[in-house]
Amino acid sequence: MIHSNWQGSHYEAGFQYGAQARQAGVCLLTKLPPNQAERLDFSRACLPLYERHFPQVLSEIRGIAAGQKVPFDRMAAFLLSMYAFTPDAHCSCFAFSQNGSTILGRNSDFFTWIEPVCDSAYYALDGAYPFIGNTTAWSELEDGLNACGLTAGLTYVYSDRRRPGLNAGMLVRCLLETCGSTDQAIAALERLPIASAQTITLADASGRIAVVECDCDRLEVRRPGPAEGAVFAANGFVSPRMRHGRPPAPNSQEDLFSLDRYQTLEQAFSRRPDNPLAFAFDLLSGGQGFLCQYDRENGADTVWSAVYDLTGRRCWLAEGNPSRTPYREERRLHPMW
C-alpha cells in the first residue's frame, strides 16, 4: 500500500499529492471507468451540493488536478461519480462493545489489480479533525479513525438508483473530517444529500455503535439490541424498510459471497469469546468462517483489513488478505492524542 500524508490547506495538500504523482510518472486518471459522458454530467450536478455541504474536498480536488495538470472536470467526474455507478467493491464491516472495549473491524474486498495503488492516508488539514484512513483511490475514504476517536467503515450496496449528492467514500471522508462522535455522524448523514447506496458502520470512544443503511431515498439506523452489543454489515440492506422493492442479492462470485459473509458475522457474534481484540483479528482473518477465503485466480481478494480499538485509541492494518498478511499497528495519529 501507499502511505500518503496530507497536510496544510486542502488545496496545498491536493496539489502536492497530484504533483508528486506526476513527477513519479503516474497519471491518476489513466484507468477511467466507462460512461464518462454520463459521469461528467452527474458530477456537474453534484458540484453545487458539495459547495454547500463539503467545499473543502472540492478545493483538494482542484489542487490534485492542478498538480496532475489535468482538467478539474475530469478529476471531479471520476471522484464524485464513484459508488453511484455500480463499482465492484464488496466489503465486510462490524463494530461491537464488550468487556469495556469498543472495536470496529473491516475487510476491503476488491480486484487484485488495485492492490499496488491502495492507500493508507494520514490527514492533518487546516480546520479539520486529523484522521487516518484507507482507500482504493484518493480523497474519498472507505474506513478510518479520527483524533476524536470516531471510526467509520463502508460497505457498498448495489442499487440502480442515484441522485446528485455525496457518494459512499465522500460520506466517510466528510464524517471523519467534521464529526467527533457516532451521534454527530448520524446527524450529519441525516442532513447530507446522498448519491449512492451503502452501509456505514460507526463507533466512537464512548462505546456508541451503529450501522446506517442509506441510499438516495431512505436512511435507517441500526443499533445493537441490549443482549447483542454488536452491529455488522456486508453488501446488502437488512432493515425491512430499506429492503422494500429491492431483490435479494445473489450469493455468488459476482458479489463475493455477500450472504455467506453476513452469515459468518451473524454466527460469530452469537458466540464471541472474552478477548475482544483477539476475536476481531480472528474473525477478519477467516477463523470464524468464510470472510476472506477468496480464490485469487478469479481476480478478487481482500486487499486490506483494518482493526480499530476505540477504547485504547489504537489501530492495526493488514496490507493484504489477513489470512496471509500480518497486522501492523498504525501510529501516525498517536501525537494527536
Side-chain angles (χ1 to χ4, degrees), residues 30 39 63 71 84 137 144 147 194 208 244 260 272 277 294 312:
T30 296
R39 287 169 183 258
I194 294 174
R208 297 183 72 83
H244 178 70
D260 280 350
R272 61 187 188 274
L277 197 56
Y294 300 114

Side-chain angles (χ1 to χ4, degrees), residues 190-211:
E190 288 174 337
R191 70 172 181 271
L192 287 169
I194 294 174
S196 54
Q198 57 278 309
T199 76
I200 298 179
T201 303
L202 300 163
D204 65 24
S206 74
R208 297 183 72 83
I209 60 177
V211 169

Side-chain angles (χ1 to χ4, degrees), residues 103-282:
I103 307 288
L104 185 143
R106 181 175 180 274
N107 279 352
S108 181
D109 305 336
F110 204 66
F111 297 125
T112 53
W113 59 260
I114 202 73
E115 289 172 328
V117 298
C118 292
D119 191 0
S120 174
Y122 167 71
Y123 278 85
L125 298 175
D126 298 345
Y129 291 131
F131 58 89
I132 54 172
N134 304 304
T135 177
T136 52
W138 59 91
S139 295
E140 63 94 24
L141 286 175
E142 292 153 42
D143 58 71
L145 166 69
N146 72 17
C148 299
L150 172 69
T151 188
L154 69 84
T155 73
Y156 167 73
V157 177
Y158 172 76
S159 175
D160 57 3
R161 289 183 269 180
R162 57 178 170 265
R163 185 175 300 150
L166 277 65
N167 65 54
M170 289 299 184
L171 290 170
V172 170
R173 165 74 188 272
C174 183
L175 299 181
L176 292 174
E177 188 160 315
T178 63
C179 299
S181 69
T182 293
D183 288 346
Q184 287 180 14
I186 292 171
L189 289 170
E190 288 174 337
R191 70 172 181 271
L192 287 169
I194 294 174
S196 54
Q198 57 278 309
T199 76
I200 298 179
T201 303
L202 300 163
D204 65 24
S206 74
R208 297 183 72 83
I209 60 177
V211 169
V212 180
E213 299 184 352
C214 53
D215 60 17
C216 61
D217 295 316
R218 300 181 180 89
L219 181 148
E220 286 288 304
V221 179
R222 289 197 285 117
R223 298 184 186 269
E228 297 166 329
V231 292
F232 42 89
N235 300 108
F237 294 139
V238 299
S239 298
R241 183 167 174 263
M242 297 300 296
R243 291 203 308 261
H244 178 70
R246 194 180 304 275
N251 196 37
S252 66
Q253 177 68 30
E254 183 181 353
D255 73 342
L256 294 187
F257 308 100
S258 175
L259 183 57
D260 280 350
R261 288 183 282 113
Y262 187 86
Q263 290 174 341
T264 293
L265 294 168
E266 190 172 44
Q267 293 165 8
F269 281 105
S270 71
R271 60 176 189 273
R272 61 187 188 274
D274 291 334
N275 187 325
L277 197 56
F279 169 76
F281 287 131
D282 185 56

Side-chain angles (χ1 to χ4, degrees), residues 50-70:
Y50 278 86
E51 290 285 4
R52 178 180 177 184
H53 296 282
F54 196 23
Q56 306 94 313
V57 80
L58 292 185
S59 181
E60 179 176 299
I61 296 169
R62 288 189 176 95
I64 297 169
Q68 281 275 285
K69 296 188 175 181
V70 301

Side-chain angles (χ1 to χ4, degrees), residues 292-307:
C292 65
Q293 296 93 319
Y294 300 114
D295 182 354
R296 284 180 63 87
E297 291 187 2
N298 292 320
D301 202 355
T302 298
V303 295
W304 77 74
S305 180
V307 174

